[in-house]
Amino acid sequence: LYAFNFYYPAKFFRQGLELPVGSVNYPSKNANRAAMMNYLKAAVQFSQKRRVPLYVAEFSTSRFGPPGSGAKYLNDSLRIFE
């Protein structure tokens, strides 16, 4: 079993910390389900090649994103992880 935490894209999670509140929308050109799947590609290939399960131990969303962005992000995350 290989476990990992997932906080991608980083800019989405830095809103209200390093970036202004509401500055990164989800989905967007660079932050969307396809980008998330591409980011996870190496982990999935590792899992398949070695026939070991992956476990996403921790993931969340930013409460500082534009309205609706967090729910869309969580929906896409759950669809990918399941």
Side-chain angles (χ1 to χ4, degrees):
L1 174 70
Y2 286 84
F4 62 95
N5 298 343
F6 188 78
Y7 292 99
Y8 178 84
K11 286 185 177 184
F12 185 67
F13 292 96
R14 292 190 175 136
Q15 295 177 93
L17 301 171
E18 299 168 4
L19 298 172
V21 171
S23 61
V24 181
N25 197 22
Y26 184 90
S28 68
K29 179 181 177 184
N30 296 320
N32 54 54
R33 189 180 336 158
M36 291 167 62
M37 290 174 65
N38 189 53
Y39 186 80
L40 290 167
K41 188 176 182 179
V44 171
Q45 289 174 341
F46 175 90
S47 171
Q48 291 171 341
K49 182 177 180 181
R50 289 167 178 78
R51 296 185 177 147
V52 294
L54 293 177
Y55 174 70
V56 182
E58 185 177 301
F59 70 102
S60 185
T61 189
S62 172
R63 69 181 180 121
F64 298 111
S69 288
K72 291 174 188 172
Y73 178 84
L74 287 177
N75 184 54
D76 281 352
S77 295
L78 290 170
R79 291 176 78 187
I80 291 169
F81 300 151
E82 291 178 337

